[in-house]
Amino acid sequence: MGDVVVAVATGHSPRHRRLLDLLVRALGEGRFLPYRDRLAILEELVRTVAVRSPAMHRALGAMWAEDGADHAQLRPLLRAMLA
């Protein structure tokens, strides 16, 4: 999956950007993966391919607002987003 995400994230076509936004949105809102796994994938996108899209902000906001969200785990990622 990592190679696919990098290929999509570094693509220049609007279609690639839209696919990445849909993935990020699904991770932020989804409940199919454990919270820690979703956070790890989003962190990888921020740190390795520098994703700073509005979809990423919405995904992190959705995860922050979840019942039982671990804000201590989210803070470093939010700092990286703002840096």
Side-chain angles (χ1 to χ4, degrees):
M1 183 172 140
D3 292 339
V4 172
V5 170
V6 170
V8 170
T10 57
H12 296 290
S13 78
R15 180 175 175 270
H16 288 150
R17 177 56 62 190
R18 180 73 179 136
L19 288 172
L20 180 62
D21 286 348
L22 288 171
L23 169 66
V24 169
R25 182 176 168 187
L27 288 168
E29 297 174 358
R31 304 279 191 263
F32 297 109
L33 286 174
Y35 186 88
R36 284 180 178 255
D37 292 344
R38 292 185 291 136
L39 183 62
I41 293 169
L42 293 175
E43 183 175 21
E44 187 73 15
L45 289 170
V46 168
R47 296 192 191 283
T48 60
V49 291
V51 173
R52 302 287 192 275
S53 69
M56 180 64 79
H57 290 275
R58 284 190 300 273
L60 293 174
M63 289 182 72
W64 184 275
E66 281 183 27
D67 290 335
D70 188 345
H71 294 166
Q73 285 185 328
L74 275 171
R75 280 188 186 97
L77 185 52
L78 291 170
R79 284 188 193 106
M81 286 281 297
L82 297 172

